[in-house]
Amino acid sequence: MRLETRRLLEQLITPRQACIGAVFCSYTFDPAYFEEQVLRTLLALSSDPDEDGARYHAEARAALRDTPVACFVDASVRQGGRRLPYDLHLVRKRTFHPKVTLVLYETEARVAVGSGNLTRPGHERNVELFFTRVLRYDDPVAVVMLRQLDAFFGACLSLAASDGTQLQAARQALAARIAGSPEPAASAPRDASFISTFESSALRSLAEALPAQATLRRVGVLSPFFERDDLAIADEREGLTSVLSELLALRRHPPGEAPALELGVPWEDAPLAPPAAAVLPALAPGLWAWRRARESLGGDEPVAQVAYIRVEKITGKQVFAVDAGERSQRLDRAEFEAALADHQLWPVAPPKVHAPPRILQRVAKEHQLQLWLQPTATLAGDGRPLLRPLHAKLFLITVEHRGQTSTYALVGSANASRAALERPVAEGGNVEAGVLMRFDGEVRLRDLLPSLVASSLGDVQLEERPAPESELDLSAWIEDAVHDAEARTLTIVWASAGPKGLSAWQLSYLGRAVASGAGPATEPTLVTDFDLSPASAELALLASDRCWMIPIRVADLAQLPIQAGLPAPDLRALLAMLGRRVGSERLATLWQQRGPSGVAAILESLFGDGFGPHDVFKAWWGLRQEIEDSTTVASLRHRLVGPTGARTVWKRLCEVPETELARDEVWLYGSELMRELRQANLADGPDRPARAELLAALVTELCADLAQREPPGDAAWLDDVRAFYRGRGPRS
């Protein structure tokens, strides 16, 4: 069995369909990589964030208004640098360790559950393992997993500091597409099941998946489990011992036939070249590295690779050895010595493995223990050194049941620690997620990862990795920072309890102090005249000579300015944009280059001294077209109540003094707007009823306002106009 090696992002794209929502979970988080690589790919952004940052940011903002995106990350390890206004939920109540991605499209969703974080190493450099699948909304079995994922995201939200708005929008989009799906038939095959530690511990989920009377034959663990993933565990030795013991006791085994245990571990000092030495080493038994060329798959020039072999016996003409996969080899001694003289072959010092020696030695006394080393250093195709640390997590349980051999696999985020495997969230364990699968026959670690090198405890140096020191996180005092784009305010919500040590503090945004004080505030801190810049979507908390970045949540993305830095457009600018006579990007460029006079000049060239019915009606037609083109609830809401939406332009129209625009004329324009809104033919789709409800609510609101502005009198022309516009409701 071989696994497919591909970039994760390639697995998350559905050809010829636009993303309509996405939810991400990660332990560590790099905003720059997420925004410039992940979001750029999934939202099909065409601008370059490096060559034209302003255009890229405007395009990304517009995409996020139409496509809800939410991220959950562990608050203690995330990086700063967030610039875009997606929802970023920080989790502090538990170690938040899952790596889950769900991307929604119109007819299907794509899911990835595995070990890689939302960072460049997690997506491009490390050795990671992911379960990926296309889940169609019309497949009842696929919908079961979609509902499991939806419930998981809801549970994640219960641990987050704030609710946000984008997760709810994404979940609503999913709910609309799977609402009518029936339960799968009992006979329907289910080869994979999503699990999380919200429902049960990972060990219990593994145990429940195994047949009750099965005989346990082998346990495989691929994990950098020596690195502590929960600093609350006081004794790592006890935790590892317990986890390995529990894994080896998941099912019974015949007396005297204890199940075998194989461990895949990182080999961080794997050599790529011989050490500098004046004298060639002697040919002797032990571990050797051989750098030689192999044929490339594409038929180009041979590429270099380093192969590891264990020499067991040397005769006058032959060298008896085993390769990395424990296959016996007979090598020509003359060829061996020539490679040694040519510095292509060299002995390897005992590998260093970060693990508690006493634990593994104790396990080896009771079970056959096979150690597999994953070299962190390797060679690229052109011979350059390449670092690929092992970060994959995999558990394989091989059993026999009724004469058949099967292997159960758990792929996901959990390391081999007590907090990850033995305890559910309700008992203080980590938040972990994974996928359980079953394979016919025996599947071993090296079947899935052929780069593993066979070793044994006696051939390595076991060292315990020192635990990192926990750092004080004073940003935990800030529960939420909410930006109201329409009111141009920022509200900082303080937590009722937090870490000790917060004395004098200052909150700043892009180097500008916005608030300061001593000790945690008891009431929310309000910042007025606040606009979200394209340069940052974070606050900086300065305290105790340290700086912590705090994400700014936008209360309503639909209210964000169409172009960052561009003032709210007046009525003429709105009519010009809706009538497709000038674009928001051009107005923003003119504002940046020439200020208000530049914008005024272009509008005067379009309207002269004023605007007329043709200008207004053309804007209504453009607005109706945008409404009809909106395929998601989020995108329609922006067209209805956003800065260029129907409600905003009607409000601007009503604000024109009667000396410039007669009351009768405003009412006529409003009546025509209602007519266009009522006749809008909404795009088909599962959430069309929700979009129709939004449109109907706005029409009802604007009609009530319009009724108060109806001209007095009984003139015949007024009766004819009333009759023309009366009696139509919005289409559903």
Side-chain angles (χ1 to χ4, degrees), residues 329-647:
Q329 292 185 333
R330 290 187 181 185
L331 305 171
D332 182 76
R333 177 168 179 167
E335 179 186 359
F336 209 77
E337 290 178 336
L340 181 61
D342 197 30
H343 299 283
Q344 298 299 307
L345 180 74
W346 65 94
V348 177
K352 293 182 180 179
V353 172
H354 294 285
R358 289 182 296 174
I359 294 176
L360 297 187
Q361 291 165 358
R362 188 183 308 133
V363 170
K365 291 179 181 179
E366 302 175 1
H367 301 268
Q368 178 187 348
L369 176 60
Q370 171 67 67
L371 197 64
W372 294 100
L373 309 179
Q374 170 61 30
T376 294
T378 185
L379 292 175
D382 57 3
R384 291 180 296 106
L386 188 66
L387 293 180
R388 297 198 64 208
L390 175 66
H391 195 252
K393 284 88 172 172
L394 172 67
F395 298 90
L396 299 175
I397 312 296
T398 301
V399 299
E400 286 186 7
H401 183 237
R402 296 178 180 175
Q404 293 186 341
T405 300
S406 303
T407 299
Y408 292 80
L410 173 59
V411 176
S413 61
N415 286 303
S417 75
R418 199 167 39 158
L421 288 181
E422 279 196 329
R423 296 202 299 256
V425 173
E427 297 177 10
N430 297 350
V431 180
E432 307 279 0
V435 173
L436 272 171
M437 294 170 285
R438 177 191 170 278
F439 303 101
D440 291 332
E442 182 178 43
V443 179
R444 300 184 61 179
L445 293 181
R446 203 170 189 275
D447 295 331
L448 303 179
L449 188 58
S451 55
L452 290 172
V453 177
S455 187
S456 64
L457 285 185
D459 294 328
V460 301
Q461 296 181 22
L462 294 173
E463 297 181 358
E464 291 194 60
R465 190 188 304 275
E469 296 182 3
S470 59
E471 295 185 357
L472 184 66
D473 182 10
L474 293 180
S475 68
W477 277 110
I478 307 294
E479 192 168 273
D480 204 2
V482 188
H483 172 46
D484 186 329
E486 189 174 21
R488 299 183 58 235
T489 61
L490 178 68
T491 304
I492 295 100
V493 181
W494 294 81
S496 57
K500 295 181 180 179
L502 181 63
S503 52
W505 55 267
Q506 182 185 86
L507 287 168
S508 66
Y509 180 66
L510 293 176
R512 176 176 64 91
V514 297
S516 61
T522 57
E523 297 293 334
T525 301
L526 180 66
V527 180
T528 58
D529 297 326
F530 182 88
D531 294 308
L532 193 68
S533 166
S536 178
E538 294 178 316
L539 276 178
L541 172 64
L542 307 173
S544 301
D545 297 325
R546 293 281 307 279
C547 178
W548 292 268
M549 305 309 295
I550 299 164
I552 296 173
R553 177 171 64 86
V554 179
D556 187 352
L557 282 181
Q559 300 299 334
L560 274 178
I562 53 174
Q563 292 280 342
L566 181 67
D570 61 14
L571 179 59
R572 291 193 307 165
L574 287 172
L575 295 176
M577 286 187 288
L578 291 174
R580 315 288 175 86
R581 303 175 73 177
V582 67
S584 61
E585 186 175 351
R586 186 180 180 192
L587 289 180
T589 302
L590 287 170
W591 178 270
Q592 293 168 358
Q593 294 177 349
R594 298 168 54 190
S597 61
V599 175
I602 188 66
L603 295 178
E604 287 172 7
S605 68
L606 294 174
F607 297 113
D609 294 333
F611 56 84
H614 178 76
D615 300 310
V616 177
F617 288 5
K618 191 171 183 179
W620 293 172
W621 300 335
L623 179 60
R624 173 179 169 178
Q625 187 62 56
E626 289 187 4
I627 289 172
E628 293 182 338
D629 291 342
S630 299
T631 57
T632 66
V633 173
S635 63
L636 178 64
R637 191 169 180 278
H638 173 63
R639 272 73 183 181
L640 296 180
V641 301
T644 59
R647 177 195 285 166

Side-chain angles (χ1 to χ4, degrees), residues 11-22:
Q11 306 278 23
L12 297 175
I13 299 172
T14 292
R16 295 177 296 279
Q17 288 193 41
C19 172
I20 61 173

Side-chain angles (χ1 to χ4, degrees), residues 300-355:
D300 299 325
E301 293 293 326
V303 296
Q305 69 170 5
V306 176
Y308 299 97
I309 59 175
R310 179 166 301 283
V311 174
E312 295 186 333
K313 179 181 176 182
I314 305 169
T315 66
K317 293 186 177 182
Q318 290 185 319
V319 175
F320 295 83
V322 293
D323 66 7
E326 293 195 302
R327 293 180 294 267
S328 298
Q329 292 185 333
R330 290 187 181 185
L331 305 171
D332 182 76
R333 177 168 179 167
E335 179 186 359
F336 209 77
E337 290 178 336
L340 181 61
D342 197 30
H343 299 283
Q344 298 299 307
L345 180 74
W346 65 94
V348 177
K352 293 182 180 179
V353 172
H354 294 285

